[in-house]
């Protein structure tokens, strides 16, 4: 059994995350662990540095819904007990709705809308955000699922002006050559779209 300080700290962090048999887990190889357990250990590794910000990039991808819910619970607990901020990067709008306080929607590498999570879901302002929300399957959906026409642009030669313009249903002439500014629409809600110029 190892006894160095770093190993003892690792055991403590693993224990704090509610993982059973921390001594055994700390000496296991990744292939000995389940997907959910591996994800918890990655979070433990990040916590070992005592961060003030935890960046969780697709932290719940490829996990089944039960394990996903456990990881999200863990992140929520950490947010109230251990870390002041968590930046969650995800394609899953359900994860955003359940977990986040504030959300930034990105398209082709640029922020197009930033708002409190409830405000974004009830009052989306950017055409891309609206299209994204419309393309999420609804519980009682019967008709065809909505999609966003076109494809994501090549970022080596991104479109001029608004990067979303080749796919936007509300596109105007100005959108094709002028990049929209970030406009504050009140309620701490910002949107980068020419439709919102006063
Ligand atoms: S700036 Fe123009 S193209 Fe871009 S999202 Fe707004 S309306 Fe659509």
């Amino acid at each position: 059994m190892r006894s160095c300080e770093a190993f003892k700290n690792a055991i403590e962090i693993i224990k704090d995350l509610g993982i059973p048999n921390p001594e055994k887990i700390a000496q296991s190889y990744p292939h000995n662990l389940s997907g959910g357990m591996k994800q918890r250990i990655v979070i433990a590794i990040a916590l070992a540095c005592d961060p003030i910000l935890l960046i969780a990039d697709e932290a719940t991808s490829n996990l089944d819904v039960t394990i996903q819910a456990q990881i999200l619970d863990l992140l929520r607990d950490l947010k109230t007990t251990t870390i002041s901020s968590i930046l969650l990067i995800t394609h899953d709008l359900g994860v955003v709705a359940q977990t986040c306080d504030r959300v930034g929607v990105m398209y082709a590498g640029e922020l197009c809308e930033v708002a409190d999570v409830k405000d974004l879901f009830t009052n989306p302002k950017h055409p891309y955000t609206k299209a994204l929300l419309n393309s999420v399957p609804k519980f009682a959906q019967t008709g065809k699922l909505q999609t966003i026409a076109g494809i994501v642009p090549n970022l080596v030669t991104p479109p001029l002006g608004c990067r979303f313009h080749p796919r936007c249903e509300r596109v105007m002439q100005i959108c094709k050559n002028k990049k929209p500014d970030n406009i504050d629409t009140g309620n701490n809600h910002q949107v980068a779209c020419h439709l919102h110029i006063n």
Side-chain angles (χ1 to χ4, degrees):
M1 175 69 68
R2 301 176 210 186
S3 60
C4 70
E5 194 179 337
F7 187 71
K8 282 183 191 157
N9 283 346
I11 300 290
E12 279 309 307
I13 295 167
I14 294 171
K15 205 186 285 177
D16 286 348
L17 292 182
I19 297 172
N21 297 323
E23 287 84 3
K24 180 168 176 261
I25 295 290
Q27 296 178 88
S28 301
Y29 289 101
H31 68 265
N32 298 133
L33 306 177
S34 66
M37 193 64 85
K38 278 199 272 252
Q39 199 62 288
R40 284 188 181 84
I41 294 299
V42 168
I43 292 170
I45 291 168
L47 292 178
C49 303
D50 248 340
I52 53 170
L53 169 69
L54 178 71
I55 301 174
D57 190 350
E58 298 290 0
T60 57
S61 296
N62 302 321
L63 299 177
D64 67 47
V65 285
T66 311
I67 305 298
Q68 175 174 299
Q70 290 171 3
I71 296 294
L72 292 178
D73 280 348
L74 174 60
L75 291 175
R76 269 191 294 265
D77 283 353
L78 289 173
K79 172 77 174 60
T80 53
T81 57
T82 312
I83 306 176
S84 52
S85 297
I86 296 179
L87 176 63
L88 202 60
I89 300 168
T90 179
H91 286 83
D92 188 329
L93 290 170
V95 167
V96 174
Q98 288 173 54
T99 316
C100 302
D101 301 318
R102 198 152 165 79
V103 55
V105 179
M106 295 194 74
Y107 179 78
E110 293 184 339
L111 269 176
C112 52
E113 185 161 7
V114 181
D116 291 346
V117 72
K118 194 169 171 202
D119 194 23
L120 187 103
F121 277 85
T122 55
N123 187 22
K125 295 181 187 296
H126 195 283
Y128 176 59
T129 311
K130 291 181 184 179
L132 259 189
L133 292 171
N134 285 338
S135 63
V136 175
K138 312 291 181 299
F139 181 63
Q141 180 131 12
T142 51
K144 195 174 163 195
L145 188 63
Q146 289 198 40
T147 57
I148 304 174
I151 55 169
V152 176
N154 180 344
L155 293 186
V156 177
T157 52
L160 291 176
C162 171
R163 289 189 174 185
F164 187 55
H165 87 253
R167 307 176 72 186
C168 182
E169 291 182 346
R170 304 284 308 274
V171 62
M172 305 172 284
Q173 194 52 42
I174 188 176
C175 308
K176 298 178 184 176
N177 42 46
K178 186 175 184 310
K179 193 178 161 92
D181 293 326
N182 242 334
I183 297 161
D184 199 322
T185 61
N187 207 17
N188 207 10
H189 192 145
Q190 292 91 37
V191 60
C193 174
H194 291 305
L195 288 170
H196 294 274
I197 297 172
N198 289 322

